[in-house]
């Protein structure tokens, strides 16, 4: 193929950093999921959906917005919401402002589940992430995460 350039290979330092990041990306979600399943009987993603709703006005939002905030496809979110509805923790209703949309609402039982589950989750996040970093490193991690996310999103 004419005009093709050689790849910009990672140097040794970049290779070590990349492998460390991949290890983090793979291990942290698994560790959080393990804690959540052990202590609360739900997945970390289930908790993310419930807790996202718990922090919104009226504990309600459109399914599309919830999918965006939970970093999930709408089909994946719908499947999880169906499971959470069976537990009585959520319900879906047509949006009265525009019937083309569906609202996801956290029930009182769902709120109780979040309140009971949050302390263990926060302890695990403190232990695994923030407890391992200095205050300056925590700020750097936030900035690095935002920059990489912007690059992924094309910005």
């Amino acid at each position: 193929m004419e005009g093709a350039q050689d790849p910009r290979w990672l140097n040794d330092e970049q290779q070590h950093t990349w492998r460390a990041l991949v290890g983090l990306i793979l291990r942290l979600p698994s560790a959080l999921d393990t804690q959540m399943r052990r202590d609360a009987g739900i997945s970390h993603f289930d908790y993310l959906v419930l807790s996202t709703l718990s922090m919104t006005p009226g504990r309600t939002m459109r399914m599309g917005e919830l999918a965006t905030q939970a970093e999930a496809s709408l089909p994946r979110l719908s499947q999880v919401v169906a499971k959470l509805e069976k537990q009585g923790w959520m319900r879906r209703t047509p949006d009265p402002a525009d019937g083309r949309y569906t609202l996801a609402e956290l029930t009182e039982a769902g709120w109780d589940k979040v309140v009971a589950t949050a302390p263990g989750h926060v302890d695990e996040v403190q232990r695994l992430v923030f407890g391992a970093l200095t205050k300056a490193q925590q700020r750097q991690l936030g900035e690095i995460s935002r920059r990489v996310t912007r690059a992924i999103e094309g910005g």
Side-chain angles (χ1 to χ4, degrees):
M1 196 156 129
E2 283 188 43
Q5 294 180 340
D6 287 337
R8 294 184 318 157
W9 297 110
L10 302 178
N11 64 35
D12 287 344
E13 184 178 351
Q14 289 172 328
Q15 186 67 245
H16 290 294
T17 300
W18 173 243
R19 289 185 180 275
L21 177 61
V22 169
L24 172 65
I25 290 169
L26 295 174
R27 288 183 180 102
L28 183 60
S30 177
L32 294 172
D33 202 57
T34 296
Q35 178 273 323
M36 195 60 61
R37 288 183 188 282
R38 180 190 66 230
D39 296 347
I42 60 175
S43 73
H44 184 250
F45 186 72
D46 296 345
Y47 176 74
L48 177 63
V49 170
L50 293 171
S51 66
T52 298
L53 280 176
S54 77
M55 295 182 282
T56 62
R59 300 180 193 150
T60 302
M61 77 172 45
R62 286 181 174 171
M63 287 285 290
E65 177 63 21
L66 182 56
T68 298
Q69 289 197 26
E71 302 284 343
S73 67
L74 201 47
R76 179 181 184 207
L77 178 66
S78 292
Q79 187 177 39
V80 168
V81 169
K83 178 177 69 171
L84 297 174
E85 282 180 308
K86 287 179 184 172
Q87 295 293 325
W89 297 332
M90 288 182 66
R91 71 175 138 259
R92 287 180 277 193
T93 58
D95 186 340
D98 188 338
R100 296 175 295 173
Y101 297 98
T102 299
L103 296 177
E105 180 182 356
L106 187 68
T107 64
E108 283 302 313
W111 171 255
D112 292 344
K113 182 67 173 176
V114 171
V115 168
T117 304
H121 173 66
V122 171
D123 283 348
E124 193 71 346
V125 170
Q126 289 283 5
R127 184 179 76 80
L128 295 175
V129 179
F130 297 108
L133 303 173
T134 66
K135 295 287 186 199
Q137 289 170 328
Q138 291 173 27
R139 287 189 294 277
Q140 289 171 333
L141 178 61
E143 179 58 28
I144 290 165
S145 299
R146 287 185 289 278
R147 283 179 180 230
V148 173
T149 299
R150 280 193 300 274
I152 291 166
E153 293 172 347

